[in-house]
Amino acid sequence: MPGARPLLRYAMPVALAAAVMVAIPLTSPSSGPQAEAWTPMSPVTVDYAADKAAGTARGRLLGFNDFHGALEPPIGSGGLVNGNPAGGVEYLATYVEQLRAQGEATGEKVLTVGAGDLVGATPLISAAFHDEPTIEVLSALGLNISSVGNHEFDEGVDELKRLQKGRCHPVDGCQDGDGFEGADFRYLSANVVDKQTRKPILRPYEIKMVQGVPVAFVGMTLEGTPSIVNPSGIQSVDFLDEVETANSYADQLGKLGIKSMVLLIHEGGAQNAPPTPQDPSSCANFAGPITNIVAGLNPAYGLVVSGHTHRFYSCALPNSSGVNTVVTSAGSNGTLVTDIGVKLDRKTRKFTSIAARNVIVENGVKNADGTWAKDAQGNFIRNPALVNATAKAIVDKYRAAVAPLANKIVGSITADITRAATPAGETALGDVIADAQLAYTSSQQAQIALMNPGGIRADLSYAFSPGGEAPGQVTYGEAFTVQPFNNLVVTQTLTGAQIKDVLEQQFAGYAGQTTTKFLQVSAGFAYSYDTTQALGSRVTQMSLNGVAIDPAASFKVTSNDFLANGGDGFTKLSLGTGRVYAPGFDVDALVAHLTNAAPVAPGPRDRITKIA
């Protein structure tokens, strides 16, 4: 999804407090007893050669991905790991500092790395300042290197470069009085190249010394980024094949005598049931694009830190030589940090052993019976003893700055409205957002509204009260967290046949679609589908207000402009004609609906029917 367009910026002077170190009972994967043998249900350990203690260099990598500006603990399912409340940078910083201290105490070289989407699709507290708060706090946390994700391109190439190098925003300027110095960490993107020069737009790799042994970190961006971000910001660049690019740099670096490499890549996979729930450090029934990527990699890549899917895992997957490469992901929103121990032979400069596990960044208070404490409204109580003071000082600055806008009450809901999907792929929140966009474009005679599920980033919680508002009341900040991209709302004309073709493109393999995803639809419109039928012939029984859709008739269809421009692979939607743009952004449509239809109930989830 594309990122937020410029918003009103708020700021106040920077004031960083000293960090508070909280003891956390954690065990390093790179020291102490190891699992006897790796299985899909244990933290991963891969041995590449006999461990020669006298000639071994030891290091530790602390990894996370898909942070998405989670300065505050995320709510709903995005802030839970198997029922444990987790995430938020004030807590992530505490765990990272503790793990870093453990490694340094044993003489290890410790580096903190990311795998992209650190910014973009962020809550208002970060997005209102063009994600400068996230860059600032991750720099303070001690992040060293990160690959660039697709969301780093939400505001385009030039904005990504500004976040790396610093300077005031070209439209909103620097209103906090102290400028913006850019990231202290290094963004890497080997496979995003300028169309004219064919050179990477950012540094492709970074070499770090681990107790005298050089280790190369190569950064890779999702090759499919052009289909999921606004094309206007990336017209000057090409996204190259991940495997070919990674191996090209492996060859170059190998000639320089570097034999151990880490790939930081914004692409991933997922564990699958059984069992349920999944162990954060397991690799049960794993599948996803990262499997084929690793299968093509030069074996010098002993470790791949991945992301994009928002799933957690630690795996051993075979590379091009058939030898296992360690592959990790730490979920999203700072709910986990991956603790990775590495050992290298000082003579051969090759990895001898890599071990990895995911540590939950718990932020709650436990009751005596092991459950998590909640307040009277059912919200988790956060543990102040686990808050990192340095991170808190930065977050508090932006909390205060954005509070007047974020805490403005815009409406109310009758119950939680979530992204939980029916077997047909329909969600209550998707229904509400589609209805909101339909109502918002009634003056354009809109008849149907479509919403892409990837653009719905959080649930609406009845009990959550970030500004002290009454249960059920919804603030602007909560609404923005649900729809943080500031897309335009566009209405265009499509025939019934074209609408059917758009819906057929929900299924992977049809008309260039790469992943199956179900558009959310507005009240009055309904359809069925049958996955046993051939691609292009799965959608049946389309109707509007109970009347069958005439393939030859014309209809006014509303969506966000990202989707209308063919985003998320829905190129068939870009064939509409007679576009009319509504004022404001898509979040304004949701806010208007929350205001005008208050209280808003969860959507009925009865508009899409799966036959088989």
Side-chain angles (χ1 to χ4, degrees):
M1 282 294 298
R5 292 178 171 86
L7 291 173
L8 178 65
R9 298 180 74 251
Y10 301 82
M12 58 190 299
V14 177
L16 300 181
V20 174
M21 182 61 72
V22 180
I24 305 170
L26 303 172
T27 303
S28 168
S30 53
S31 61
Q34 299 289 342
E36 292 183 1
W38 180 79
T39 69
M41 288 302 297
S42 66
V44 62
T45 300
V46 174
D47 292 318
Y48 297 102
D51 191 9
K52 301 175 183 178
T56 299
R58 298 172 62 246
R60 183 186 300 208
L61 306 181
L62 308 176
F64 56 88
N65 50 275
D66 297 273
F67 180 69
H68 289 293
L71 304 190
E72 299 178 299
I75 63 169
S77 59
L80 293 173
V81 178
N82 292 347
N84 300 294
V89 76
E90 295 161 301
Y91 304 91
L92 175 65
T94 294
Y95 281 75
V96 167
E97 287 199 359
Q98 179 65 38
L99 289 165
R100 182 182 292 132
Q102 288 183 357
E104 290 175 347
T106 61
E108 296 173 336
K109 171 68 174 181
V110 183
L111 297 167
T112 304
V113 301
D117 278 9
L118 306 180
V119 300
T122 53
L124 188 63
I125 188 174
S126 183
F129 309 94
H130 301 284
D131 286 323
E132 291 175 15
T134 297
I135 298 297
E136 182 179 346
V137 79
L138 292 181
S139 295
L141 175 147
L143 181 63
N144 298 109
I145 313 166
S146 179
S147 58
V148 174
N150 54 281
H151 279 286
E152 267 84 7
F153 288 98
D154 280 352
E155 291 193 47
V157 172
D158 290 343
E159 175 65 1
L160 170 59
K161 291 181 178 178
R162 187 186 74 87
L163 292 179
Q164 175 70 86
K165 298 178 181 179
R167 65 181 166 79
C168 297
H169 189 273
V171 175
D172 294 336
C174 288
Q175 298 180 5
D176 56 6
D178 61 3
F180 174 62
E181 297 180 356
D184 287 344
F185 57 90
R186 178 69 63 181
Y187 264 129
L188 303 177
S189 187
N191 67 324
V192 183
V193 299
D194 184 276
K195 286 186 175 180
Q196 300 300 320
T197 67
R198 309 310 296 171
K199 294 181 179 179
I201 61 169
L202 295 172
R203 188 175 295 182
Y205 62 84
E206 186 93 347
I207 299 172
K208 296 289 187 180
M209 301 302 293
V210 177
Q211 294 185 343
V213 178
V215 177
F217 294 79
V218 179
M220 207 68 56
T221 302
L222 177 74
E223 183 185 3
T225 293
S227 69
I228 53 176
V229 303
N230 196 315
S232 62
I234 58 172
Q235 293 178 351
S236 64
V237 297
D238 285 329
F239 293 78
L240 307 181
D241 181 86
E242 298 104 329
V243 175
E244 291 180 5
T245 307
N247 288 342
S248 174
Y249 279 101
D251 291 342
Q252 295 178 41
L253 291 164
K255 294 176 182 177
L256 297 176
I258 297 173
K259 306 300 182 182
S260 296
M261 302 175 197
V262 177
L263 185 65
L264 308 176
I265 182 170
H266 194 69
E267 179 60 289
Q271 300 185 67
N272 293 280
T276 301
Q278 300 290 347
D279 182 339
S281 293
S282 106
C283 192
N285 300 302
F286 187 82
I290 195 66
T291 302
N292 289 334
I293 290 174
V294 173
L297 286 181
N298 185 307
Y301 289 105
L303 172 64
V304 174
V305 180
S306 67
H308 187 55
T309 59
H310 290 203
R311 303 297 183 89
F312 48 64
Y313 46 83
S314 61
C315 296
L317 302 177
N319 56 45
S320 64
S321 71
V323 175
N324 281 335
T325 288
V326 172
V327 183
T328 70
S329 173
S332 63
N333 294 320
T335 55
L336 294 155
V337 57
T338 310
D339 188 16
I340 308 164
V342 299
K343 295 181 181 180
L344 304 106
D345 188 297
R346 294 183 185 275
K347 184 177 181 179
T348 65
R349 297 183 172 183
K350 293 182 178 181
F351 289 118
T352 62
S353 177
I354 300 175
R357 58 157 188 158
N358 279 321
V359 177
I360 302 176
V361 179
E362 295 176 351
N363 59 28
V365 175
K366 275 195 173 179
N367 296 316
D369 62 359
T371 60
W372 294 101
K374 296 182 178 181
D375 62 20
Q377 286 74 44
N379 299 303
F380 288 106
I381 296 173
R382 308 299 179 183
N383 190 345
L386 293 176
V387 172
N388 177 276
T390 299
K392 182 178 186 299
I394 297 172
V395 176
D396 281 349
K397 174 182 68 174
Y398 292 105
R399 281 192 186 110
V402 82
L405 178 60
N407 294 336
K408 180 182 177 182
I409 296 171
V410 297
S412 61
I413 55 179
T414 64
D416 290 348
I417 306 180
T418 76
R419 296 164 291 166
T422 66
E426 185 175 357
T427 72
L429 188 51
D431 287 352
V432 167
I433 291 174
D435 290 349
Q437 294 189 359
L438 184 67
Y440 196 65
T441 53
S442 60
S443 62
Q444 281 83 51
Q445 290 78 50
Q447 298 164 280
I448 300 168
L450 305 174
M451 178 62 194
N452 53 313
I456 308 173
R457 306 301 296 194
D459 301 335
L460 283 175
S461 169
Y462 182 85
F464 185 55
S465 302
E469 68 277 6
Q473 291 184 320
V474 180
T475 65
Y476 181 84
E478 290 176 272
F480 188 88
T481 300
V482 171
Q483 287 189 274
F485 296 105
N486 271 4
N487 293 313
L488 301 176
V489 181
V490 59
T491 303
Q492 56 183 338
T493 299
L494 290 93
T495 65
Q498 286 177 312
I499 293 172
K500 180 179 184 297
D501 221 18
V502 169
L503 297 178
E504 295 287 1
Q505 208 169 19
Q506 296 176 124
F507 301 98
Y510 181 72
Q513 182 60 270
T514 57
T515 59
T516 297
K517 53 180 75 70
F518 293 100
L519 297 172
Q520 305 300 290
V521 302
S522 55
F525 182 69
Y527 73 94
S528 303
Y529 68 86
D530 184 347
T531 59
T532 67
Q533 301 301 308
L535 288 171
S537 301
R538 293 182 173 181
V539 175
T540 61
Q541 302 174 355
M542 294 190 306
S543 65
L544 181 61
N545 299 322
V547 178
I549 293 286
D550 181 352
S554 294
F555 300 87
K556 298 284 190 180
V557 180
T558 292
S559 69
N560 60 58
D561 66 330
F562 165 74
L563 198 55
N565 290 334
D568 275 349
F570 287 98
T571 55
K572 298 294 184 179
L573 193 57
S574 67
L575 302 178
T577 60
R579 290 191 178 191
V580 178
Y581 289 86
F585 303 118
D586 52 358
V587 69
D588 297 318
L590 177 59
V591 167
H593 189 64
L594 290 167
T595 301
N596 298 331
V600 175
R605 303 197 305 173
D606 61 359
R607 302 166 186 175
I608 306 173
T609 300
K610 180 179 181 181
I611 296 173

